[in-house]
Amino acid sequence: MFGDRYIQRTPQSKKLFEEAKNYLPGGVSYVIRFFEPYPFYVSKAEGQKVWDIDGNAYTDYWMGHGALLMGHRYSPVIEAIKDQLDLIPHAGFSHEWEVKLAKQVIKMVDSVELIRFTNSGTEAAMYSIRLARAYTGKKLIGKFEGGWHGGYDALHLAVSPPYELPGSLGITEGALKDTVILPYNDLDGVHRIIKGLELAAIIVEPVLGAGGFIPSDPEFLKGLRELCDEMDALLIFDEVITGFRLSPGGAQKLYGVKPDLTVFGKILGGGEFPAGGFGGRRDVMELLDQLKYKDPHKRAFQGGTFAANPITTRAGYTLLSELQRRSEIYNYINGLGEKARNALQRIFDERGFNAHVTGIGSLFAVHFTPVKPKDSKTAQQKKDVNLARSYFKHLLDNGIVVMVQDMQHFFISSSHKSQDIDMLIDVTQDFIDKI
Ligand SMILES: Cc1ncc(COP(=O)(O)O)c(C=O)c1O
């Protein structure tokens, strides 16, 4: 049975999960970290590997929710932070690293002229929406089916089907009444829905992330740009996953489309620390400027106790300044992604198996669906969840971890080796042979 070996090897994790359930709802701190029958508990990590408390090693394709572009414990980041711990880990005052990181992001991402930092992608998305509303004086926000922008009420809708239901209990109708759900990769559909509406902004992931690593059609993003210009609405790219991953300048560089605002997270904090940020056009971002707008009621607000803390900003600066110099990192991780996507698809096709590999660059996902998904609807339609869970367990049995159990999202880091991908291919072949 798939998963048997995992159970035999993880008695300590099983025990700790039983205990955790007494103290943490569902035993976890984030529902997507749970999987059947119980999650393992990590004790250490290095490069592309994590170890659990029973001493088992796993090749990690989850990479800290995709934040760890260079793998676990990337030494330049870790060394910089050790030094920062001896200086000032938390300031609550202005410090040089926030300036350095801001300057660095602005150098790398063409559309960003000013930026503010937060502690998570969720916060950054929330503040970007507020800012867009403040700037345009309008209320409505367009967001896409399958788009995930974190748990902010106004955007926690239409993440998974049924799209018309809020993504959580406790979200009021009031919080959602200004959110307009739009179909992904379907420009005509978007035009139809927004006709006659006054939108403040459209927020979009250039590559659908949690929805299944489904890249936008280039014409789709270009069309959204034109549409936003016509409507005097802001185009917001959520690059929490794609930022600094698909290229030093993110997905927007790759697609050649310039958003008005961009939301960042994950890699922005060097991969190891809580991070978020939003930035973009000077005239829009200036609405946060207390020097320009002295009356707090005439400007937009953003802030937080740990916003732009020295640990995160120094880690982020250390990593991003290196990424800007070393384009070979991108060739390397994108090459591994290409290799994995092609080989896995070939294995599935040879057996006439209903499975499809989507993705771009160092991102790929496996879908047990009859058709290749082009949006989150087709990624969910007739999905064989049992097969997806069996694949997940088979990978675990063979020392490979990838989240989530119902749809495997692989993040490749620069610490992954070609042999890791070979092993993934072999283990997948073995899975198909056993089915
Ligand atoms: C595209 C996207 N936006 C926003 C978020 C939310 O970021 P965070 O988890 O840091 O709040 C995520 C998280 O995975 C994400 O993938």
Side-chain angles (χ1 to χ4, degrees):
M1 276 278 286
F2 296 117
D4 284 354
R5 211 181 315 160
Y6 172 74
I7 292 172
Q8 276 161 22
R9 288 203 298 221
T10 53
Q12 297 299 327
S13 283
K14 182 170 195 282
K15 196 162 153 233
L16 194 48
F17 182 62
E18 288 307 316
E19 191 185 347
K21 283 190 283 186
N22 296 321
Y23 307 109
L24 297 164
V28 291
S29 298
Y30 189 174
V31 66
I32 64 170
R33 293 189 192 149
F34 172 76
F35 51 81
E36 299 278 358
Y38 51 84
F40 61 77
Y41 285 75
V42 287
S43 56
K44 62 175 185 163
E46 196 68 48
Q48 80 280 41
K49 298 265 186 213
V50 290
W51 282 265
D52 69 19
I53 55 174
D54 288 285
N56 302 298
Y58 304 82
T59 304
D60 179 9
Y61 286 98
W62 180 230
M63 282 291 146
H65 297 238
L68 296 158
L69 184 73
M70 309 298 278
H72 291 275
R73 301 189 74 253
Y74 183 56
S75 62
V77 170
I78 298 295
E79 290 311 313
I81 291 318
K82 281 184 184 163
D83 185 51
Q84 194 58 39
L85 281 174
D86 286 340
L87 295 169
I88 178 162
H90 175 47
F93 294 111
S94 298
H95 56 89
E96 68 176 312
W97 298 104
E98 62 190 337
V99 185
K100 285 190 159 152
L101 180 60
K103 203 167 155 188
Q104 185 60 35
V105 175
I106 289 164
K107 250 195 248 171
M108 293 169 81
V109 186
D110 294 342
S111 67
V112 177
E113 295 176 313
L114 290 171
I115 183 164
R116 278 280 178 93
F117 299 114
T118 64
N119 293 299
S120 68
T122 301
E123 264 181 89
M126 175 183 80
Y127 284 127
S128 76
I129 296 300
R130 176 185 289 183
L131 181 60
R133 285 175 168 155
Y135 180 82
T136 58
K138 298 188 272 184
K139 292 186 204 163
L140 298 182
I141 302 295
K143 82 133 325 245
F144 288 90
E145 290 169 347
W148 172 242
H149 308 287
Y152 165 47
D153 283 9
L155 297 174
H156 202 166
L157 176 70
V159 177
S160 51
Y163 295 123
E164 48 305 338
L165 290 184
S168 164
L169 291 180
I171 301 180
T172 62
E173 277 170 31
L176 292 175
K177 76 176 171 22
D178 295 321
T179 306
V180 180
I181 306 168
L182 302 172
Y184 197 74
N185 262 340
D186 175 4
L187 205 51
D188 291 342
V190 173
H191 274 273
R192 261 197 310 278
I193 290 170
I194 61 149
K195 200 157 182 246
L197 298 180
E198 286 281 319
L199 260 62
I202 291 180
I203 184 165
V204 63
E205 293 173 86
V207 175
L208 210 51
F213 287 163
I214 301 169
S216 290
D217 298 333
E219 291 315 308
F220 175 64
L221 292 183
K222 289 200 179 98
L224 291 183
R225 176 67 278 173
E226 285 163 17
L227 190 60
C228 285
D229 289 342
E230 281 164 26
M231 293 190 297
D232 277 334
L234 299 187
L235 178 62
I236 307 174
F237 274 7
D238 182 340
E239 293 230 42
V240 168
I241 289 179
T242 53
F244 316 109
R245 173 178 285 278
L246 292 191
S247 83
Q252 52 195 271
K253 186 79 179 171
L254 209 65
Y255 279 91
V257 178
K258 213 168 164 181
D260 300 297
L261 292 176
T262 303
V263 179
F264 300 101
K266 302 194 194 278
I267 296 169
L268 179 70
E272 302 277 4
F273 302 97
F278 62 107
R281 269 170 47 191
R282 178 175 293 277
D283 60 329
V284 180
M285 292 298 291
E286 271 179 355
L287 213 46
L288 294 155
D289 180 345
Q290 79 289 350
L291 299 173
K292 191 162 179 180
Y293 299 97
K294 302 226 179 312
D295 179 348
H297 299 101
K298 298 259 163 60
R299 62 174 189 253
F301 172 83
Q302 169 273 332
T305 300
F306 290 100
N309 72 81
I311 295 287
T312 298
T313 47
R314 183 161 177 186
Y317 172 75
T318 305
L319 179 59
L320 297 196
S321 51
E322 181 172 338
L323 291 178
Q324 194 195 4
R325 287 193 308 272
R326 296 186 50 202
S327 60
E328 77 277 7
I329 291 171
Y330 293 92
N331 297 336
Y332 179 72
I333 56 175
N334 294 348
L336 290 187
E338 186 76 6
K339 171 175 165 161
R341 276 189 296 276
N342 290 341
L344 295 181
Q345 191 64 62
R346 201 172 328 112
I347 294 175
F348 297 138
D349 289 349
E350 274 167 10
R351 286 295 177 91
F353 214 71
N354 272 345
H356 297 275
V357 188
T358 58
I360 181 170
S362 54
L363 304 169
F364 63 98
V366 171
H367 302 267
F368 293 95
T369 51
V371 293
K372 182 162 182 165
K374 65 171 178 51
D375 53 24
S376 78
K377 254 189 262 161
T378 39
Q380 297 293 341
Q381 259 163 21
K382 300 193 182 153
K383 179 168 88 174
D384 192 331
V385 176
N386 289 333
L387 213 49
R389 288 200 178 185
S390 298
Y391 182 51
F392 176 87
K393 286 180 178 161
H394 183 70
L395 293 178
L396 269 187
D397 281 345
N398 287 280
I400 296 172
V401 63
V402 53
M403 300 291 265
V404 294
Q405 63 180 352
D406 291 350
M407 188 192 283
Q408 286 77 48
H409 290 73
F410 293 80
F411 291 94
I412 290 176
S413 75
S414 69
S415 59
H416 284 94
K417 308 278 178 292
S418 197
Q419 296 89 301
D420 294 317
I421 306 294
D422 292 337
M423 181 170 125
L424 173 67
I425 295 166
D426 289 347
V427 171
T428 303
Q429 180 72 62
D430 184 47
F431 174 68
I432 302 292
D433 293 343
K434 287 202 163 82
I435 285 290

